[in-house]
Amino acid sequence: MEIWKRNLYICSCATFIVSVGTSQLAPILPLYISDLGITDTDEVARWAGIIFSGNFLMLAIFSPIWGRLSDRYGRKRMALRASFWLAFVLAGMGLAQNVGHLTFLRLLQGALSGFQGACIPLIAQETPQEHSAWALSIYFTGQVTGALIGPLFGGWLSGFVGYRGSFFVMGGLCLLGFLAILFVRETFQPTAARKQITWTAAAKSLRSPHLILGLFLTTLLVQFAIISILPVLTLYVSELSDGGVPIALVAGCIFSASGFAGMISASRIGDLADHKGEARILFASLLLAALTLVLQGVARTSWELGCLRFCMGIATAGLLPVINALIRRYTPEEAFGRVYGVTQTFQFIGMFLGSILGGHIAAALNIPSLFFLSAALLLFNAFWCRAYLWNI
């Protein structure tokens, strides 16, 4: 097997394992906070929001730093460092004695991680240009699949090993990801410290800086549109459902619909982008995502909403892989780590803003208005793509 394919499959398996581990946190976090002594429901919700979103904020701050170090020392080393620290910090959460300890460790997780930010440039650098969108789609399929399975597995597991035991399992899974990365064969030769180009030189070396900046903002807007809906999705399901319907079960199925759609369609969309052009697929995906968001805002039943979330999963499955493939096209190899680190920063800022602002926007206006706002942002982004990327 070719080295680049071997590395791709190893990294995809590793990110699947790590994603299964890290995504288990979401369903048990409020329960663990209660177990640590916070009994008031409003306080539990407040601490859950702080702890959950704090990770995104720290990732946004530190991703460019780890990206620069990956240019200097190699992407494999940074992936090993990140997965090891994830294992250590997540296991440490199982030993937390109060919510302050848990908050500190969650912030430490964001500051010391950067696993995805190391693996993405590793795959980009090792993969031939003509296969880059397909390869990144395979990688993101592993990540999405792990994130889809993780919450289900975590909720089931906590009933057997308890909340603290679940964190030890999370740490163990990240350690397995660390062991998998050991088998990656990196051909990239890190730049010596004395020869490494500066941030200014890296920015000047970009072939089309304005396009790269546009892709950074596209990443932010896409993440905001996806994440902002999630805090209020269960409430929306409740509004659309009849009284006798099990809301938790229906909401869980609707949550999973978009992830499942992305899992089965990402690699095919990536392959299509390699053959038809990344910009055209990005434009079509943004348009379809905007359309499905508008239709979700006028859905009449929870089942309509579920079908539309599935369609949105197909639309968004190609977004991040195609964006990263376009960034790879316009970035010199010696600056991959730093540029992809900044990409991760914009991604996590979008996730942070979405998780913080989504509920406030829905409360100030209404839930359908949040869908329409997100659709407008993606539609604007689609027209930018049509104007500036179409002919590349």
Side-chain angles (χ1 to χ4, degrees), residues 237-247:
V237 172
S238 179
E239 290 181 8
L240 297 177
S241 300
D242 297 327
V245 174
I247 300 299

Side-chain angles (χ1 to χ4, degrees), residues 302-320:
S302 57
W303 300 112
E304 284 183 12
L305 180 63
C307 293
L308 290 167
R309 294 293 295 177
F310 183 88
C311 294
M312 184 175 176
I314 295 174
T316 56
L319 290 176
L320 288 181

Side-chain angles (χ1 to χ4, degrees), residues 10-11 13-15 17-18 79-80 83-84 115 171-183:
I10 291 173
C11 287
C13 289
T15 197
I17 295 168
V18 171
L80 289 170
S83 53
F84 176 80
F115 180 76
L173 288 169
C174 291
L175 188 59
L176 288 177
F178 168 86
L179 295 175
I181 295 294
L182 287 173
F183 293 95

Side-chain angles (χ1 to χ4, degrees), residues 146-163:
L148 185 64
I149 293 174
L152 300 174
F153 178 67
W156 171 81
L157 182 68
S158 62
F160 291 89
V161 300
Y163 305 134

Side-chain angles (χ1 to χ4, degrees), residues 28-149:
I28 67 170
L29 180 60
L31 303 173
Y32 191 42
I33 291 172
S34 298
D35 202 46
L36 291 175
I38 306 297
T39 56
D40 182 74
T41 303
D42 291 337
E43 282 293 296
V44 169
R46 184 171 70 87
W47 277 108
I50 292 171
I51 293 170
F52 193 73
S53 61
N55 180 57
F56 299 142
L57 181 61
M58 298 303 286
L59 282 166
I61 294 170
F62 282 90
S63 287
I65 297 173
W66 297 125
R68 185 176 187 276
L69 291 175
S70 76
D71 286 335
R72 181 172 179 176
Y73 297 110
R75 321 339 177 169
K76 178 180 176 179
R77 289 186 181 183
M78 288 299 106
L80 289 170
R81 176 204 56 77
S83 53
F84 176 80
W85 277 112
L86 274 173
F88 181 79
V89 171
L90 286 169
M93 289 183 186
L95 302 174
Q97 298 301 304
N98 55 57
V99 73
H101 292 165
L102 186 60
T103 303
F104 172 76
L105 288 168
R106 179 68 170 170
L107 293 173
L108 197 64
Q109 176 188 344
L112 297 178
S113 182
F115 180 76
Q116 311 295 347
C119 286
I120 292 171
L122 194 158
I123 292 170
Q125 81 191 14
E126 300 289 339
T127 304
Q129 174 69 55
E130 63 271 18
H131 299 297
S132 59
W134 174 80
L136 288 166
S137 296
I138 292 292
Y139 176 80
F140 279 104
T141 297
Q143 182 184 352
V144 169
T145 306
L148 185 64
I149 293 174

Side-chain angles (χ1 to χ4, degrees), residues 236 239-241 254 292-309 368 371-372:
Y236 194 43
E239 290 181 8
L240 297 177
S241 300
I254 292 174
T292 58
L293 282 167
V294 170
L295 294 176
Q296 286 173 66
V298 296
R300 294 169 297 178
T301 68
S302 57
W303 300 112
E304 284 183 12
L305 180 63
C307 293
L308 290 167
R309 294 293 295 177
F371 285 98
F372 300 147

Side-chain angles (χ1 to χ4, degrees), residues 266-298:
S267 62
R268 295 186 180 186
I269 293 174
D271 186 57
L272 191 63
D274 284 329
H275 289 89
K276 301 296 183 181
E278 294 98 337
R280 286 168 169 75
I281 298 303
L282 179 59
F283 175 69
S285 296
L286 288 168
L287 277 184
L288 179 58
L291 175 61
T292 58
L293 282 167
V294 170
L295 294 176
Q296 286 173 66
V298 296

